[in-house]
Amino acid sequence: MTASADFPQADHRAAAALCVLLGSPDDLEDADVRDQAERARDLLRSGAGADELTACYRALDTALRRAGDARGLVNESRSARVPGISHDIKVAVCPGPAQCTRVERARDLLPAPPCAVNGTRMRKRRLGPGQ
């Protein structure tokens, strides 16, 4: 059994992961997981304190792991599917009129790499999950 996640107070990632969990009927087949998830939802709706939410998130994380979900509650693979949230990365793309398919990761503080074909620097842009 893997260790439970450490939930800082007012963890917004846990709330987003709970939203995804509640929207996935397959993940709620276990009665203990379903009960803990509904309890966490009710606490969020009622404006419960951070300590109470953290304890509830821990209980839900434990229930998920006991049910065989090694991700627990907060995990990138679960929270990456939250509707309305996209994880973009900055990339360098071809700057020329005849665009090639060269794409390289672009660092924020470094200039874009040079394009050998066009003789200029590549241009930076954000690349979303659907691209």
Side-chain angles (χ1 to χ4, degrees), residues 6-51:
D6 184 29
F7 296 101
Q9 291 186 355
D11 188 349
H12 298 291
R13 292 180 315 140
L18 176 65
C19 180
V20 171
L21 180 67
L22 289 168
S24 175
D26 293 339
D27 290 337
L28 295 174
E29 288 179 352
D30 184 88
D32 191 32
V33 170
R34 185 176 49 255
D35 292 344
Q36 291 294 335
E38 290 172 353
R39 180 172 173 259
R41 180 197 59 210
D42 294 342
L43 287 174
L44 277 171
R45 286 181 179 171
S46 69
D51 292 339

Side-chain angles (χ1 to χ4, degrees), residues 91-96 99 102-104 121-125:
V91 294
V93 296
C94 182
Q99 301 251 324
R102 179 181 174 196
V103 175
E104 292 191 23
R121 290 211 176 271
M122 296 176 77
R123 71 187 158 85
K124 293 181 181 181
R125 72 173 204 163

Side-chain angles (χ1 to χ4, degrees), residues 34-76:
R34 185 176 49 255
D35 292 344
Q36 291 294 335
E38 290 172 353
R39 180 172 173 259
R41 180 197 59 210
D42 294 342
L43 287 174
L44 277 171
R45 286 181 179 171
S46 69
D51 292 339
E52 193 174 3
L53 277 172
T54 300
C56 188
Y57 289 152
R58 280 198 179 113
L60 177 54
D61 185 79
T62 301
L64 282 163
R65 291 174 193 277
R66 283 187 183 148
D69 188 344
R71 297 174 298 179
L73 178 61
V74 178
N75 184 289
E76 292 301 318

